[in-house]
């Protein structure tokens, strides 16, 4: 059990199939992954398990554990034991002592529970995580808009303008934390103030996108009163709806549909092949808004965390 030596072992690391395999080479080149963060369990030349962390470009520490695989075709149950041992060794060697473990993320099919083999594979990986102290945090829908989906024309109910500055957006983000259905947002509020939570979200994610900030939109009534906002952006892989929300006093009026259509229009005008978004499985109003806007549920994501 060891980290890979470098790019020359990417083929070995990729012997276990997963959606992220095709991104590994570019991630290494761009500094989002490091060989010392990519661990393998080998028996001779045979890959039995692997684990890897991801961070933003030039990140000093791992941000997400987004690869954990075990050989599903192995006989018996020792493949789970091997996964547990690998993850324990890798975490001890990779993560800063005393730090909070990065969240685990697993991309899975939308109907993963209906297929016996897929369900077993997902549950085996969850068992590995649970035996190292992790617990299920949230399951999320992965959503995608494609250019063949129509976008409604503006209906005039709302006016859209660019965000004045970061402070304006932070203030609106603080407002929408009231009654949020987002699991990560609710969890943040158990450990910090509303202001601390939204500033961290803004600085650690939104402010880091290199796509134009003039894509960001505040939605207002014709008299200028804000009712919500949308953050269309590009991450390292896709065009995305990074954040969308309606202020509490304006919820229930259907404004989310107008705001999402505006964000989708902005990105569609860039000629992108797809727009990605995600929302918690339990956030039914937001999931329904994306469905009405023509976004399909092409996958799910499991998030697990350590106390």
């Amino acid at each position: 059990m060891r980290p890979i030596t470098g790019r020359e072992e990417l083929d070995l690391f990729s012997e276990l199939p997963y959606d992220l395999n095709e991104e590994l080479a570019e991630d290494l080149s761009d500094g989002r992954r490091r060989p010392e963060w990519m661990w393998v369990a080998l028996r001779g030349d045979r890959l039995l398990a692997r684990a890897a962390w991801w961070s933003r470009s030039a990140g000093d520490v791992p941000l997400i554990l987004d690869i954990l695989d075990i050989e599903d075709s192995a006989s018996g149950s020792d493949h789970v034991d091997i996964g547990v041992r690998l993850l324990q060794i890798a975490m001890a060697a990779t993560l800063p002592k005393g730090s909070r473990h990065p969240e685990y993320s697993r991309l899975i099919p939308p109907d993963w529970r209906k297929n016996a083999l897929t369900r077993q594979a997902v549950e085996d990986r969850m068992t590995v995580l649970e035996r190292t102290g992790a617990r299920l945090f949230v399951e999320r829908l992965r959503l995608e808009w494609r250019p063949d989906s129509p976008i409604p024309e503006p209906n005039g109910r709302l006016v859209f303008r660019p965000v004045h500055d970061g402070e304006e957006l932070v203030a609106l983000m603080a407002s929408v934390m009231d009654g949020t259905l987002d699991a990560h947002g609710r969890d943040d509020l158990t450990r910090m103030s509303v202001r601390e939570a939204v500033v961290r979200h803004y600085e650690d994610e939104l402010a880091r996108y290199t796509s134009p900030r003039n894509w960001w939109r505040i939605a207002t009534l014709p008299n200028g009163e804000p009712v919500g906002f949308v953050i269309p952006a590009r991450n390292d892989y896709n065009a995305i709806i990074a954040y969308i929300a309606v202020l509490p006093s304006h919820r229930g009026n259907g404004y989310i549909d107008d705001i999402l259509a505006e964000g989708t229009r902005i990105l569609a005008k860039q000629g992108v092949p797809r727009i990605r978004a995600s929302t918690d499985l339990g956030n039914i109003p937001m999931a329904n808004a994306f469905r009405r806007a023509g976004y399909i549920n092409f996958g799910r994501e499991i998030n697990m965390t350590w106390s």
Side-chain angles (χ1 to χ4, degrees):
M1 296 185 180
R2 60 172 177 81
I4 64 172
T5 56
R7 296 179 63 91
E8 66 275 8
E9 287 198 313
L10 270 185
D11 286 345
L12 168 67
F13 188 83
S14 300
E15 285 180 2
L16 295 179
Y18 186 43
D19 294 356
L20 299 185
N21 282 357
E22 62 187 29
E23 299 172 359
L24 296 177
E26 185 175 347
D27 282 349
L28 274 174
S29 297
D30 292 344
R32 293 185 289 269
R33 297 191 192 274
R34 299 181 185 179
E36 61 267 28
W37 296 351
M38 304 173 68
W39 283 71
V40 292
L42 301 170
R43 182 174 289 144
D45 295 330
R46 181 179 167 191
L47 180 63
L48 301 180
R50 64 177 186 167
W53 286 267
W54 177 95
S55 188
R56 298 185 179 94
S57 298
D60 293 330
V61 296
L63 187 63
I64 298 173
L65 174 66
D66 64 342
I67 295 178
L68 175 66
D69 284 304
I70 51 182
E71 189 183 43
D72 294 312
S73 61
S75 59
S77 61
D78 68 330
H79 62 307
V80 172
D81 296 333
I82 292 170
V84 172
R85 184 63 178 150
L86 173 67
L87 187 55
Q88 290 171 332
I89 292 173
M91 289 193 299
T94 305
L95 304 179
K97 287 182 172 54
S99 66
R100 188 179 184 185
H101 288 353
E103 186 174 282
Y104 169 69
S105 166
R106 178 76 184 181
L107 308 182
I108 54 179
D111 57 350
W112 67 275
R113 289 181 176 85
K114 296 180 180 179
N115 181 293
L117 292 177
T118 301
R119 179 169 184 157
Q120 188 65 55
V122 173
E123 291 179 346
D124 282 350
R125 284 155 181 76
M126 293 177 70
T127 298
V128 170
L129 272 292
E130 288 166 354
R131 286 177 54 183
T132 67
R135 62 177 179 83
L136 176 64
F137 180 69
V138 70
E139 183 172 339
R140 291 173 61 78
L141 301 175
R142 302 179 69 212
L143 306 156
E144 182 175 277
W145 178 91
R146 296 167 185 169
D148 57 356
S149 298
I151 307 174
E153 292 297 322
N155 56 27
R157 290 204 308 165
L158 299 178
V159 176
F160 294 94
R161 62 167 174 81
V163 176
H164 291 321
D165 53 33
E167 186 56 40
E168 178 187 34
L169 183 59
V170 164
L172 291 174
M173 290 169 64
S175 297
V176 302
M177 292 293 276
D178 181 14
T180 181
L181 297 177
D182 181 79
H184 287 90
R186 293 199 306 270
D187 181 64
D188 285 342
L189 294 180
T190 67
R191 294 177 287 106
M192 62 190 80
S193 69
V194 171
R195 173 76 183 182
E196 290 170 331
V198 299
V199 167
R200 190 180 74 163
H201 185 179
Y202 177 81
E203 293 180 347
D204 288 356
E205 181 184 347
L206 304 182
R208 293 175 180 265
Y209 291 125
T210 58
S211 49
R213 292 196 184 183
N214 62 14
W215 291 355
W216 300 3
R217 290 289 186 269
I218 305 295
T220 75
L221 297 175
N223 65 8
E225 179 185 352
V227 302
F229 59 89
V230 61
I231 309 299
R234 269 189 176 275
N235 61 18
D236 293 321
Y237 310 99
N238 292 288
I240 61 170
I241 300 295
Y243 199 161
I244 183 170
V246 176
L247 273 62
S249 60
H250 292 286
R251 289 171 184 161
N253 297 311
Y255 291 138
I256 188 65
D257 293 337
D258 304 324
I259 299 172
L260 180 53
E262 176 70 6
T264 304
R265 272 193 297 271
I266 289 169
L267 292 175
K269 288 178 181 177
Q270 314 307 314
V272 298
R274 59 186 169 269
I275 301 170
R276 293 276 173 88
S278 60
T279 192
D280 291 358
L281 181 62
N283 193 343
I284 295 174
M286 189 63 72
N288 286 340
F290 277 105
R291 176 183 52 78
R292 290 192 299 269
Y295 285 71
I296 64 167
N297 174 211
F298 74 97
R300 293 195 182 186
E301 177 185 6
I302 291 287
N303 293 154
M304 299 182 69
T305 57
W306 287 259
S307 300

